[in-house]
Amino acid sequence: MKTYQFTKSQELFKRAAKVIPCGIYGHFSPAPLVPATSYPFYTARSAGARFWDVDGNEFIDYMCAYGPMILGYNHPLVDQAAAKQIQSSNCTTGAPSVMVELAEFMVDLIPAADWVFFAKNGADVTNYSTMIARDATGRKKIVMIKGGYHGASSWMQAPGHHGTIEEDAENIIRIPWNDVPAFEKAIENNPNDIAGFIATPYHVPVFADNEMPDEGYWKKIEALCRKHGIVLIVDDIRHGFRMDIGGSCEYFGFTPDLICFCKALANGYPISALMGSQALKDVTARVFYTGSYWFQAEPMAAALETLKELKRIDGPKKILATGKKLLDGLVKVAKTYGYDLKVTGAPSMPYLRITNDESLMLHQDWCAECTGRGAYFTSHHNWFVSTAHTDEDIQQTLEIADDAFQIIKQQYGDRF
Amino acid sequence: MGHELIKARLNLCAVLKNLEDLVQYDPEMAALSKQWNISIQFSILLGPKAFIEFQNGKCRVGQGKLPKPTIILFFFSPAHLNRMMDGRGFPIPLKGFTKIPFLNGDFQKLTKKLEYYLKPTDELLKDTTYCELNTRFTLNTAAHAIPEIGSLDRVGIHAVSHIQNGDILMKILPDGPAVTLRVRNGNITPVSGETERPMACLYMKNMQVANAFLNAKLDAFTAIASGDVMIKGQTPMLDSMGLVLDRIPLYLG
């Protein structure tokens, strides 16, 4: 099987590094890709479930832009809706009318929520959710999960990271995932001082297996929040619309006070949303928060069309099924080489790890070999599946995976 | 933990540790110290203790007390030791008065040479041998500073608490020096050389890249993306280690 070269990506990166700090920053930084030089850095074009890099290499994309792409790149209905909106108006003086249409649609779509507030990025709304929780309760502390990620604002980063100070984490209490007693203890140790509990629907750490909630976990957390007047916030930014069209809380059967959406909301157009219960609507109204582009109409039109299409085709159900087909196939191929490919998380956004080598080097090499043959796999982060991934894509992916397993079997022999 | 105490521990445990390699890899210093049979105890009032021992052409730097040192140098405080290391103060000899000429003479030649290697200039780094030794010493200093900062500095303690058990290998390619950081339940032990089963690896492409990287002249993210620095394995271990390494200049910068 032909393997890819990334000459132009590297050339472009050299230019970038001269004028952009670390060339490509944030979650798109190539640093966690192992080895980084075996991955494409720059996209030239995209369509459906595929993208082509600046070297002309074609990839079946299992990262989906780290989550935003859910219906496929360049989706005609979404792009047409966005283009139509641009033609009439986009960023103007005055809120766009499509904002109301989108808000009504979302309030109907998400059973747990009665209102919606729009912003641009996930961290905009996770930040805002904590402000609302503090204002509603008059309390300071926020409980979050160790290893949880809610954006890159200083309070969300683990202490010690560059650009943060100790005081940033002063009002943050980190507890382990699935640990109800730890939450009870936090409440006991901070009487009437916990404003909010924020977590993803299930735990999605990087470089580690993803963890589903234990039976009854969310119900217990919800009950504790109700009992102690704590605002329950679900960060559905990554999971949203990949498990249930009504939000992941529907999938797991609990009712949060605030829900944060972003990523898949508009199939790649920049918009995020905070949704909440009626009880918090007036509080939200008085907590000032805004941004220069938060009233941009184009992403709102795109979001409306994305959600309509996801609802029409039952997108979450489709990608859960597609993901399962892909993962069953990959696990089977791995087994023929004596490798245990462990899958955790939902099939629509799975985390994979070859357990034979706890250092992850074997897994990293396999992911890189797959990427070098056209199936874009990362080794550190959960993958994403879209409604655009077809049976043919899966079949081709399995052939690539098989070829890559042959290579690493040759490389490692019977060491694992 | 006070700044001066952490700096003193770094001076004793990480900086002076390089004397071991200095007498091995610098021919002039190897010849100078070949016949030495002498030990020096560093003793700080209510502070850490360390020693340097020369025997059979080899040097050993360790923590704690020697049973019968030839010389004892006393310091009133960590700051006192740090002033001496910065060339702005003098120790109080408690034992080995007859060896004072040695301290002021040959031993000072040795420490001056170490200082020469640890304070590079762009001009000096053009010399391959100098660059190699500076890189080796910087790698050693970093490796031995990590356990100290990881156990004394607040940010370091937090970072190290997240490092899982396993060996972290730092190696300069193709066959340059390597150090292994053995992590066991939050304790880190630096070991010279490679490990058979590393949990995480950080490879530097060559001596020049290693020198720039270890002296913080090269952005890590850019270096990794371009392949100058290669990481593998449980890279969160390297992320946490990086946070600790970034603290070194706060004390030794």
Side-chain angles (χ1 to χ4, degrees), chain B:
Chain B
M1 194 68 69
H3 181 95
E4 291 290 350
L5 179 56
I6 297 174
K7 183 174 174 179
R9 286 198 64 96
L10 293 180
N11 274 322
L12 289 175
C13 305
V15 176
L16 289 178
K17 188 76 180 168
N18 288 305
L19 290 173
E20 291 180 358
D21 275 359
L22 181 67
V23 301
Q24 189 178 345
Y25 293 101
D26 180 289
E28 191 191 345
M29 292 302 107
L32 179 73
S33 61
K34 196 178 171 185
Q35 304 298 329
W36 294 359
N37 187 359
I38 200 163
S39 57
I40 306 167
Q41 178 74 54
F42 291 76
S43 183
I44 301 174
L45 181 66
L46 302 173
K49 289 166 179 56
F51 62 84
I52 306 170
E53 194 174 35
F54 297 95
Q55 213 168 23
N56 304 322
K58 287 189 175 171
C59 173
R60 185 166 76 97
V61 179
Q63 296 184 44
K65 283 173 79 172
L66 281 175
K68 286 183 180 176
T70 321
I71 301 165
I72 298 178
L73 300 179
F74 176 76
F75 302 88
F76 290 113
S77 64
H80 183 191
L81 175 110
N82 295 332
R83 283 197 298 276
M84 182 201 75
M85 293 295 289
D86 292 341
R88 295 182 289 112
F90 299 95
I92 314 289
L94 290 187
K95 185 185 174 193
F97 294 99
T98 57
K99 301 292 181 187
I100 288 176
F102 164 78
L103 290 174
N104 291 334
D106 283 352
F107 184 68
Q108 202 172 66
K109 281 184 196 166
L110 191 74
T111 56
K112 286 282 177 200
K113 196 63 182 282
L114 181 62
E115 190 182 358
Y116 161 79
Y117 282 121
L118 290 177
K119 290 187 175 170
T121 64
D122 289 344
E123 199 56 36
L124 283 170
L125 286 171
K126 286 177 188 167
D127 178 78
T128 311
T129 308
Y130 179 92
C131 181
E132 278 184 24
L133 282 177
N134 171 261
T135 309
R136 179 182 287 276
F137 294 158
T138 310
L139 180 65
N140 277 343
T141 303
H144 288 88
I146 286 170
E148 301 303 323
I149 292 178
S151 61
L152 301 169
D153 172 275
R154 280 171 69 116
V155 172
I157 291 167
H158 189 269
V160 165
S161 72
H162 288 90
I163 305 182
Q164 67 175 82
N165 285 350
D167 288 355
I168 300 173
L169 170 66
M170 294 170 73
K171 184 181 178 184
I172 300 167
L173 298 176
D175 50 8
V179 293
T180 297
L181 294 163
R182 196 145 286 158
V183 185
R184 300 289 183 273
N185 304 318
N187 294 312
I188 302 179
T189 311
V191 181
S192 284
E194 295 191 49
T195 177
E196 256 186 46
R197 286 282 176 102
M199 193 63 81
C201 304
L202 187 150
Y203 297 112
M204 292 156 273
K205 193 174 166 185
N206 55 43
M207 202 58 81
Q208 287 69 35
V209 164
N211 192 275
F213 181 72
L214 293 167
N215 285 297
K217 292 177 184 168
L218 197 60
D219 156 51
F221 291 97
T222 306
I224 291 167
S226 61
D228 283 343
V229 170
M230 289 147 277
I231 56 173
K232 279 194 94 168
Q234 289 283 359
T235 57
M237 296 174 85
L238 302 174
D239 291 341
S240 296
M241 185 187 76
L243 290 176
V244 179
L245 285 173
D246 291 341
R247 306 289 292 174
I248 296 176
L250 298 179
Y251 299 100
L252 296 180

Side-chain angles (χ1 to χ4, degrees), chain A residues 270-333:
Chain A
I271 186 168
S272 60
L274 179 67
M275 301 192 74
S277 64
Q278 190 64 37
L280 290 174
K281 188 160 169 276
D282 290 344
V283 176
T284 303
R286 71 188 182 205
V287 179
F288 182 75
Y289 205 50
T290 191
S292 296
Y293 293 95
W294 290 9
F295 294 88
Q296 193 189 1
E298 182 204 34
M300 292 178 181
L304 182 60
E305 199 58 41
T306 299
L307 294 177
K308 281 181 179 172
E309 183 64 4
L310 281 172
K311 188 181 176 190
R312 189 186 69 78
I313 62 171
D314 197 349
K317 189 179 173 190
K318 184 171 162 54
I319 56 176
L320 284 165
T322 304
K324 188 174 183 313
K325 201 178 288 181
L326 168 75
L327 299 167
D328 287 349
L330 288 174
V331 169
K332 199 172 159 190
V333 175

Side-chain angles (χ1 to χ4, degrees), chain A residues 20-100:
Chain A
I20 300 170
C22 70
I24 304 171
Y25 43 79
H27 65 296
F28 269 34
S29 165
L33 305 170
V34 181
T37 47
S38 293
Y39 280 81
F41 296 168
Y42 297 95
T43 299
R45 67 188 175 94
S46 59
R50 295 177 183 238
F51 75 93
W52 288 258
D53 70 1
V54 289
D55 286 278
N57 303 313
E58 180 179 351
F59 300 91
I60 305 168
D61 188 358
Y62 289 102
M63 286 310 289
C64 298
Y66 281 78
M69 189 276 271
I70 188 166
L71 289 172
Y73 294 117
N74 311 346
H75 190 273
L77 291 176
V78 177
D79 287 0
Q80 277 164 25
K84 192 177 167 193
Q85 181 61 50
I86 284 270
Q87 280 166 8
S88 57
S89 70
N90 185 28
C91 198
T92 70
T93 304
S97 57
V98 67
M99 181 178 185
V100 182

Side-chain angles (χ1 to χ4, degrees), chain A residues 108-177:
Chain A
D108 283 346
L109 189 69
I110 310 297
D114 300 303
W115 53 264
V116 57
F117 178 103
F118 298 110
K120 275 285 160 230
N121 288 294
D124 295 338
V125 289
T126 50
N127 252 332
Y128 192 39
S129 70
T130 62
M131 290 170 71
I132 294 165
R134 284 173 171 144
D135 195 66
T137 59
R139 301 171 184 172
K140 289 181 183 173
K141 299 200 186 296
I142 300 292
V143 176
M144 63 181 284
I145 304 298
K146 279 180 188 168
Y149 180 79
H150 305 292
S153 300
S154 50
W155 69 266
M156 302 169 188
Q157 297 208 23
H161 281 238
H162 292 286
T164 67
I165 55 174
E166 280 184 71
E167 288 79 0
D168 288 327
E170 211 168 64
N171 290 305
I172 301 298
I173 301 166
R174 291 168 196 268
I175 62 171
W177 170 252

